Amino acid sequence: MPKLGAEPIRRAALVKATIETVGEAGSLEVTVAQIARRAGMSSGLAHHYFGSKEQIFLAAMRAILTLYGAEVRGALATASDPESRLRAIVAGSFAPGSFRRETISAWLNFYVLAQTNAQAHRLLRVYQRRLRSNLRHELRQLVGDRAGAVARGLGAMIDGVYIRAALAEDAPDPQYALDIVMEYIDRELEVTP
Amino acid sequence: MPKLGAEPIRRAALVKATIETVGEAGSLEVTVAQIARRAGMSSGLAHHYFGSKEQIFLAAMRAILTLYGAEVRGALATASDPESRLRAIVAGSFAPGSFRRETISAWLNFYVLAQTNAQAHRLLRVYQRRLRSNLRHELRQLVGDRAGAVARGLGAMIDGVYIRAALAEDAPDPQYALDIVMEYIDRELEVTP
Amino acid sequence: MPKLGAEPIRRAALVKATIETVGEAGSLEVTVAQIARRAGMSSGLAHHYFGSKEQIFLAAMRAILTLYGAEVRGALATASDPESRLRAIVAGSFAPGSFRRETISAWLNFYVLAQTNAQAHRLLRVYQRRLRSNLRHELRQLVGDRAGAVARGLGAMIDGVYIRAALAEDAPDPQYALDIVMEYIDRELEVTP
Amino acid sequence: MPKLGAEPIRRAALVKATIETVGEAGSLEVTVAQIARRAGMSSGLAHHYFGSKEQIFLAAMRAILTLYGAEVRGALATASDPESRLRAIVAGSFAPGSFRRETISAWLNFYVLAQTNAQAHRLLRVYQRRLRSNLRHELRQLVGDRAGAVARGLGAMIDGVYIRAALAEDAPDPQYALDIVMEYIDRELEVTP
DNA sequence: AATGAATGAGGATTCATTCAT
DNA sequence: GATGAATGAATCCTCATTCAT
């Protein structure tokens, strides 16, 4: 007796299981059966909902990016002046919801998927552009002309900190990550009067 | 037609073919047969020389990191004062030998491999540590106490610029990449009198 | 068309096909695909059920030994005095269910497998020990002290007759086989008053 | 500079290495390269001398059977009356030159090969027939009519003792093996006045 | 909706055999 | 004669995907 609304629950469970499985394995070479088992269902059902392994991955990637976006928006909600908004964007990037071992590892893998898969590629570009535009918007009021350059630098640094966390032995340390990027901002803002 | 000295030539051809194949495919899911064919030999011979697909990948990764190291050392050779040495390290990182589409894509894939494979992990760590220590050494004379923090930030930014190049539509632009990182250095050095 | 209870049927079909295939080929160098085809299924399914070729072989070997044990027990069921029980054990060994060309050939191959494979080795030892203990038990009442020696001799002779049947041109002749061993028993029992 | 008479030496080394390799592995699934390496030469040379793996096996099998025949003939040399000749044949069968772990294991494997390979089959038959005829010749003078039956029984028992030694944990014990068969002979000779 | 049995294509790896040197 | 580089066929096993129930 299939419950009403079972589908969204199933889908969410699969997405969660995908991120966890890929994150743990550190690789996209996980089987649909593994993911389905972790989500508590058969591999057949996973295909029924998503059609293919590729689509399961894309859904998981979308979920990661959506969560990321939500964290940033959440952090922005309480900030008013440009500088705190700028710092809020960065803080949102390393919010504990996103900046977790599995998620980071899954994220890195989806980054690789984007080399191969056009849809994944598009998804990533959209989010990169959005981040850059957010950064630039705040920076314009803080560093004027240099806004574009600093936004590029900040974006790259955030990505770099992420990727390095994927390789760290220990659990990712949001504060450490944050410090690196915040110091860069300190520097930029110091210089510009 | 077994020639004398064939082995190093074959090995090099396989390493080159591996980087190209992985780079083009944008994925480690390439077959040994594909690699071998591109290297102009049978898959059996590839196994004869490297023992397994994994070892072929590791050899390719070592080649990439070796090349990277050589570029940095090469750039350092002509630099004398700390600041030019610092900038040389960065310039070496984006030298045209390393900073090429295929290489970047392969590099990203090996980064993922390091999640799974202990040897790959170790290789990457060695290079990261070496880079960081190089940066710190020059920075100590330029920004004193902040050397550690700046080195971390620079390292992350270099990685970030790399990873972003993997996603770019167009051929990677070393100058653009360089500018981003150099500006960061400008900023740091300006502040410290 | 997955039917309920398909698994035991599939497994049995694979075991049967394995004995037949190995028996016909006279060698363990048969492919899983050959076995599966003969069992009317894909090689993938054979792996699904048994996990590996080795496990398929072991299951087939177990089946052979189980059948052998059943034949001996069956023959023993109708015998009451020690001598008829002794002869029943031997008769069971050459019962037509076991003493068939394919089975003998497969059996010989599994004997070889036991050189390499610990599980196969253990299986064979268990059956040898059981046979020896059965023989000894009856012989104790017939030849007293010599029971151990005669049991060893009988066991060896049964094995020897089996192995020779594997090499015979014609279909194995149970009566001929039986005669050889029974004559040996005659002799032993004649001597001991 | 190939030495004169190198060929027979090479061939003998390969035959020896084959028996050892097959004996140790307990299986015919050994590679020509393994055999050649043990014999101190390249796999190419092994092929050069024997043409194929199959022929290498056959040569090794011939060597085993030749050695066996020599042992029996050697044992017969010093025996004069029928009974000691009969016992000499048996003793020759378990002479330490033949009755060694590796040789037994190789022998069992060649027994299996004879299922598949016509030449191997023929070789084995020849030796079996010769053994049987030898036994019968002596037995005729000892047990008269029963000679045929006893010869069959003895032959089977010798084979059985061999095959069991292949499975024993410890090094094969010739004395133990001998006792089993000699007791059988004792019995047969006791009965017949 | 849900299962998991079933398929079959695909890929790493091994190895007998060949052959240029 | 001798090497071992080179080939390519063969095989085990995995896994996405399908489909009867």
Side-chain angles (χ1 to χ4, degrees):
Chain A
M1 65 216 73
K3 279 164 280 186
L4 260 311
E7 174 159 350
I9 295 170
R10 297 288 203 181
R11 281 177 171 273
L14 278 168
V15 161
K16 182 166 174 282
T18 302
I19 295 170
E20 289 170 4
T21 308
V22 169
E24 270 180 23
S27 162
L28 295 176
E29 284 174 62
V30 298
T31 70
V32 173
Q34 280 166 9
I35 293 171
R37 195 179 319 127
R38 190 188 273 259
M41 69 193 77
S42 70
S43 65
L45 195 53
H47 273 95
H48 176 70
Y49 281 128
F50 286 101
S52 75
K53 188 184 182 178
E54 191 176 45
Q55 291 304 317
I56 297 176
F57 280 162
L58 286 171
M61 190 168 166
R62 254 178 241 118
I64 283 183
L65 294 174
T66 300
L67 174 61
Y68 176 82
E71 300 271 24
V72 170
R73 268 194 311 283
L76 274 173
T78 59
S80 47
D81 62 299
E83 182 174 344
S84 28
R85 290 180 64 82
L86 178 67
R87 295 191 188 266
I89 292 170
V90 176
S93 295
F94 298 108
S98 296
F99 199 63
R100 297 169 52 236
R101 184 171 260 314
E102 287 157 7
T103 313
I104 295 167
S105 178
W107 186 87
L108 179 55
N109 276 285
F110 291 136
Y111 215 110
V112 168
L113 180 63
Q115 313 277 301
T116 307
N117 184 289
Q119 258 179 94
H121 192 266
R122 218 170 307 131
L123 279 173
L124 217 47
R125 301 286 290 191
V126 166
Y127 272 81
Q128 281 188 346
R129 237 172 270 140
R130 188 171 308 172
L131 172 64
R132 170 115 68 108
S133 127
N134 283 341
L135 292 172
R136 212 162 20 198
H137 181 257
E138 309 306 335
L139 282 164
R140 205 125 37 191
Q141 303 165 62
L142 295 165
V143 300
D145 290 352
R146 281 219 317 285
V150 177
R152 285 193 317 232
L154 261 179
M157 195 183 264
I158 291 171
D159 271 19
V161 168
Y162 249 92
I163 206 183
R164 292 190 154 210
L167 216 65
E169 252 101 64
D170 331 300
D173 180 346
Q175 194 53 55
Y176 177 86
L178 222 44
D179 284 353
I180 296 175
V181 187
M182 289 303 188
E183 286 226 3
Y184 174 41
I185 294 180
D186 292 348
R187 215 57 59 230
E188 287 290 347
L189 300 193
E190 264 172 46
V191 176
T192 324
Chain B
M1 66 219 75
K3 284 172 229 140
L4 261 311
E7 173 156 351
I9 294 169
R10 295 291 201 179
R11 282 178 170 271
L14 278 168
V15 160
K16 180 162 174 285
T18 302
I19 294 170
E20 289 169 4
T21 309
V22 169
E24 267 181 26
S27 162
L28 295 176
E29 285 174 63
V30 298
T31 70
V32 173
Q34 280 165 10
I35 294 172
R37 194 176 321 126
R38 187 188 275 259
M41 70 193 78
S42 70
S43 66
L45 195 54
H47 275 97
H48 175 68
Y49 280 126
F50 286 101
S52 73
K53 188 182 179 179
E54 188 178 45
Q55 291 305 316
I56 297 176
F57 279 162
L58 286 172
M61 189 165 166
R62 252 178 242 119
I64 283 183
L65 293 173
T66 299
L67 174 61
Y68 176 82
E71 300 273 24
V72 170
R73 267 195 312 283
L76 273 173
T78 59
S80 47
D81 62 298
E83 183 174 341
S84 28
R85 289 179 65 81
L86 179 65
R87 293 188 189 270
I89 293 169
V90 176
S93 295
F94 298 108
S98 296
F99 199 64
R100 296 169 52 237
R101 181 169 264 313
E102 286 160 6
T103 311
I104 294 167
S105 178
W107 187 87
L108 179 55
N109 276 284
F110 291 137
Y111 216 110
V112 167
L113 181 64
Q115 313 275 304
T116 306
N117 183 289
Q119 257 180 97
H121 192 266
R122 218 170 307 133
L123 279 173
L124 216 47
R125 301 287 289 194
V126 166
Y127 271 80
Q128 282 189 345
R129 234 173 272 142
R130 187 171 309 172
L131 172 63
R132 170 115 69 108
S133 127
N134 283 342
L135 292 172
R136 213 162 20 199
H137 181 258
E138 309 307 336
L139 282 164
R140 204 128 34 197
Q141 303 165 65
L142 295 165
V143 299
D145 291 351
R146 281 218 322 285
V150 177
R152 284 192 319 233
L154 261 179
M157 196 182 265
I158 292 171
D159 271 18
V161 168
Y162 249 93
I163 204 184
R164 292 190 154 211
L167 218 62
E169 253 100 63
D170 333 298
D173 179 348
Q175 195 51 55
Y176 175 86
L178 222 45
D179 284 351
I180 296 174
V181 187
M182 289 304 189
E183 287 226 1
Y184 174 40
I185 294 179
D186 293 346
R187 216 54 60 231
E188 287 289 347
L189 300 193
E190 267 171 42
V191 177
T192 324
Chain C
M1 69 218 77
K3 284 174 227 140
L4 261 309
E7 173 157 351
I9 295 169
R10 296 291 201 178
R11 282 180 171 270
L14 279 168
V15 161
K16 182 164 174 284
T18 303
I19 295 170
E20 289 169 2
T21 309
V22 169
E24 268 180 24
S27 162
L28 295 176
E29 284 174 64
V30 298
T31 71
V32 173
Q34 280 165 9
I35 294 172
R37 194 176 321 126
R38 188 188 276 259
M41 71 192 79
S42 70
S43 66
L45 196 53
H47 275 98
H48 175 68
Y49 280 128
F50 286 102
S52 74
K53 188 182 180 181
E54 189 179 45
Q55 291 304 315
I56 297 176
F57 279 162
L58 286 171
M61 190 167 166
R62 255 178 240 119
I64 283 183
L65 293 174
T66 300
L67 174 61
Y68 176 84
E71 300 272 25
V72 170
R73 267 194 313 282
L76 273 173
T78 58
S80 47
D81 62 299
E83 182 174 343
S84 26
R85 291 180 63 82
L86 179 65
R87 293 188 189 270
I89 292 169
V90 176
S93 295
F94 298 107
S98 296
F99 199 64
R100 296 169 51 238
R101 182 169 264 312
E102 287 159 5
T103 312
I104 294 167
S105 178
W107 187 88
L108 179 56
N109 275 285
F110 290 137
Y111 216 108
V112 167
L113 181 63
Q115 312 276 304
T116 306
N117 182 289
Q119 256 180 97
H121 193 266
R122 218 170 307 131
L123 278 173
L124 215 48
R125 301 288 290 194
V126 166
Y127 271 79
Q128 282 189 343
R129 235 173 270 142
R130 188 170 309 173
L131 171 63
R132 170 114 72 107
S133 130
N134 282 342
L135 292 172
R136 210 160 26 195
H137 181 257
E138 308 307 335
L139 283 164
R140 204 123 40 192
Q141 303 165 64
L142 296 165
V143 302
D145 290 352
R146 280 219 319 285
V150 177
R152 284 193 316 234
L154 261 179
M157 194 181 265
I158 291 171
D159 270 19
V161 169
Y162 248 92
I163 205 185
R164 293 190 153 211
L167 218 63
E169 252 101 65
D170 334 298
D173 180 346
Q175 195 52 53
Y176 175 86
L178 221 46
D179 285 351
I180 296 175
V181 187
M182 289 303 189
E183 286 224 4
Y184 174 41
I185 294 180
D186 293 347
R187 216 56 60 232
E188 287 290 345
L189 299 193
E190 266 172 43
V191 177
T192 326
Chain D
M1 66 219 70
K3 280 163 282 188
L4 260 312
E7 173 157 350
I9 294 170
R10 297 287 203 179
R11 282 178 168 272
L14 277 168
V15 161
K16 183 165 174 282
T18 303
I19 294 170
E20 288 170 2
T21 308
V22 169
E24 269 180 24
S27 162
L28 295 176
E29 284 173 63
V30 297
T31 70
V32 173
Q34 280 166 9
I35 293 172
R37 193 177 323 125
R38 189 188 274 259
M41 71 194 77
S42 71
S43 64
L45 195 53
H47 272 94
H48 176 71
Y49 280 129
F50 286 101
S52 76
K53 188 182 182 180
E54 189 176 45
Q55 291 305 316
I56 297 176
F57 279 161
L58 286 171
M61 190 167 165
R62 253 178 241 117
I64 283 183
L65 293 173
T66 300
L67 173 62
Y68 176 83
E71 299 273 22
V72 170
R73 268 194 312 283
L76 274 173
T78 60
S80 48
D81 62 301
E83 181 173 343
S84 28
R85 291 180 63 82
L86 178 67
R87 293 190 189 269
I89 293 169
V90 175
S93 295
F94 298 108
S98 296
F99 200 63
R100 297 168 51 237
R101 183 170 264 310
E102 286 160 6
T103 312
I104 294 167
S105 178
W107 185 88
L108 178 56
N109 276 285
F110 290 136
Y111 215 109
V112 167
L113 181 63
Q115 313 276 302
T116 307
N117 183 289
Q119 257 180 96
H121 192 267
R122 217 170 307 131
L123 278 173
L124 216 46
R125 302 285 291 190
V126 166
Y127 272 79
Q128 280 189 345
R129 235 173 271 139
R130 187 172 310 174
L131 171 63
R132 171 116 69 106
S133 128
N134 283 342
L135 292 172
R136 211 159 26 198
H137 182 257
E138 309 306 334
L139 281 164
R140 203 123 42 193
Q141 303 164 65
L142 295 165
V143 300
D145 292 351
R146 281 218 318 284
V150 176
R152 285 192 319 232
L154 261 179
M157 195 182 263
I158 291 170
D159 270 20
V161 168
Y162 251 90
I163 204 183
R164 293 190 153 210
L167 216 63
E169 251 101 67
D170 330 300
D173 179 347
Q175 194 52 54
Y176 175 88
L178 222 46
D179 286 351
I180 295 175
V181 188
M182 289 303 189
E183 286 225 3
Y184 174 41
I185 294 180
D186 293 346
R187 216 57 59 229
E188 286 291 348
L189 300 193
E190 266 172 45
V191 176
T192 327

